[in-house]
Amino acid sequence: MKAPDPELLNVDYGVGGVTTHVRSRKLGDDLHSETMVLNLGPAHPATHGTVRIVAELSGEKILDADVEVGYLHRGFEKMCETVDYNQVMPYADRLNYVSPIINNVGWCLTVEKLLGVEVPKRCQYIRVIMSEISRITDHLTCLGASAMELGAFTVMLYMIEARELLWELVEDVTGARLTISYGRVGGLKYDLPNGFAAKLDAALKQTRKILVDCDRLLTRNRIFIERMCDVATITAEQAADFSLTGPIARASGLNYDVRKAFPYSSYDEFDFEVPLGSKGDNYDRFLVRFYEIEQSMRICEQAISRLPDGPIAVDDPHIVLVPKDQVYGSIDGMINHFEMVMYGVKPPKGEAYIPVEGGTGELGFYTISDGSGYPYKVHVRAPSFIHMGVMRQMLLGAAVADVVPTFGMINMIGGECDR
Amino acid sequence: MELMILVAKVIVALFLVALHLAAFCTWVERKGSALIQDRIGANRSAAYVQTDNLLLKPVAFFLRIMGGLGVINTLVNDAVKAILKEDFVPAGVPKFVHALAPFLAVFPIFLAYAVVPMAPDFEAFGQVIRLQVASLDAGVLFLFAMGSVSVYGVAMAGWSGNNKFSLLGALRASAQMISYELAMGISLVTVILVYGTLDLYEMVNAQGKLWGICYQPLTFLILFTVGMAETKRGPFDLPESESELVAGYFTEYSGMKFLVFWLGEFAEIGLFALLLTILFFGGWNIPFFTYPSNHWIWAIVGFHVLLLKVVFFCVLQIVIRWTLPRFRYDQLMDLGWKILLPLSMLNLVFYAALKLSGGIG
């Protein structure tokens, strides 16, 4: 029997010329044994083309790992400088594409801060409702995908079913499911449709029912707990050192939620809790997200029951497009419309940074205005990118089988991470 | 005559039972998982067959029903697709080993069907016929041996893939199958001890009054768990865990060779269900009923009673596979070596003591 050529086995096929510091080493024992370098991704079922993990293995144990991101880089920040402030919206959709509304809201708030305006209460409440729906879909996707990667395919499809109910709501409101472009500087694209409250109520009820099923199937399943507990533990200090935010930081016990710390869009008017973990392992991250879904549903219910009447946009023709009847019915309406379409919103000179609580963590938009209709500079504090920095720390000493659930619990969204 | 009867037996064992069970399991895997997961599942192939020919109308109707149920999709389309696909062999692999591995993994499984009795003895052509291709005295040992041999195919597949994922999958598979064989062997010894025979037919006969499950439930549980691990499915599908190892030891296989692995996996599910039925659930025995004669009618009845029980266990294994998440490698080893092995040893000692004191048998 002719054995495979050992040279062929050990070649590290670099992807796109990217090199890695991870190399196989001789192990210090009497036998001639060396570690194996395993290239997980970017063409791997669990990394779906967005990340590459080069792991040095001794048996199934990970001795060293190199995490490479950037496979989905599109130049978001540079692209934003070429379009006006409202046209950034479709680009922002594609950051965290699982919860695009939160990105829209974050960008709108940043530009509104530059402009020095505050949107009406109704608009703020609708933004809250839609953001929380997005957060639920984000968490459901994250939890479902992680469950699937652990072999619990059924749970994933249950969660996708719940997400489907919520995305139907999003479709009702925005007309699209994924790239919704719902936000507008100074307001929103549409008001809520008729009968939205009843639909939301029904969808949340059904989602709760599905989550009870998932809870029975998964969160109290012995195999699942053993797989998740004490894996990729991150202490609160480490979380702070790596500037982790969002569910990952909260799973480590770091009580930081932008909605509580720097309330935006009337979040301070709602009663909700921030679930905190204690150990900071994968299971805590899973549970924090699981309980956050319930809190998000609570916020949705409060907001929809107290939804104030009124306009959904600021009453300023230099920020928001004037209604169509004025465009065709009055000369100044026509001029305002022309100005808005041709030159866009023109914030005064200055800079602004606004963080919002995204699905994965603190999502911050920083922009500089030079007084023209185009942003001078845009930067996104993408939580996924920052969280990927801790991945190596989490993987050291873990098993190969832990890579995928850990990666899933970081919830790295390619569009947001690589921008 | 002798030869013809033997050929008939082989046809029954291989085509009527083994391949049918494998096909049935594939269908349940497809359509049953859809049922579990609130999906529709395969239902398109031949679902809209129409014809103007009056004679063919019933055929078209039948095809529509089968297509709607996903049977045609699973049994016809999958096979056609696999045959027509490119049989890709990666560079730098020993081609012979690469081609041999799938057959070496599957052949023992089908061979093991030879020693399994399928129905009570019946009289035909002036002689008593036992529906068992090879009436070995040591049937259980043969089954056990064949289960072990299929490890070679898996190991070869992983090695010859020239792929690190394949290699890891093969290592996991070999370690898993060999570790769980210990608990399996000891549990089988317990069963042999209780029934006092190595012959599978005699074991079924011994359960005429009371099924084995009634007085050895723990042995059943151990053997069932081990069996799930041996088939490399359900919560024990680490060797092919698609989220970590792409497809495990058969990552580098495509087309028909891939399908052969698949077929073997499902045939193994069927074989294990058959084994459990024969060892613990009375084979073709029906509670409070004894077959009145060895007329061939009763053999057919017995055959179907056996198949019904087997189908139940096949479906049970598939339901478990779609319910539970997967173990990690070290947890799997812990379960095998630290829990199942001591448990099966204690179980053996218990039944040996019981046997010595005259409690059973």
Side-chain angles (χ1 to χ4, degrees), chain A residues 121-133:
Chain A
K121 268 278 175 246
R122 185 178 175 83
C123 174
Q124 293 187 5
Y125 272 54
I126 294 175
R127 281 181 179 177
V128 165
I129 294 168
M130 299 310 289
S131 294
E132 292 310 314
I133 290 177

Side-chain angles (χ1 to χ4, degrees), chain A residues 1-4 8-9 36-40 44-46 60 149-154 157-158 161 217 221 223-224 226-227 231 401-402 404, chain B residues 36-39 91-94 97 159-160 162-165 167-168 172 235 242-246 321-329 331:
Chain A
M1 178 176 126
K2 186 170 159 277
L8 264 171
L9 278 176
M36 179 167 89
V37 175
L38 187 69
N39 191 14
L40 290 146
H44 182 275
E60 294 248 341
E149 278 154 359
L150 286 174
F153 205 88
T154 305
L157 282 163
Y158 283 3
E161 191 191 338
L217 263 172
N221 182 319
I223 302 176
F224 182 74
E226 299 233 326
R227 278 302 300 272
V231 173
D402 293 329
V404 177
Chain B
I36 293 170
Q37 296 168 347
D38 263 357
R39 291 187 285 118
V93 306
V97 181
W159 170 251
S160 66
N162 193 9
N163 179 318
K164 287 170 185 173
F165 292 113
L167 191 64
L168 275 175
R172 283 184 184 185
E242 74 281 342
S243 60
E244 303 145 28
L245 299 184
V246 189
R321 185 247 180 279
W322 287 108
T323 309
L324 294 179
R326 165 186 322 125
F327 282 98
R328 197 170 57 211
Y329 182 67
Q331 292 161 353

Side-chain angles (χ1 to χ4, degrees), chain B residues 133-156:
Chain B
V133 178
S135 307
L136 290 185
D137 291 338
V140 181
L141 293 186
F142 183 78
L143 263 175
F144 188 53
M146 285 300 117
S148 311
V149 167
S150 70
V151 181
Y152 288 102
V154 171
M156 278 161 76

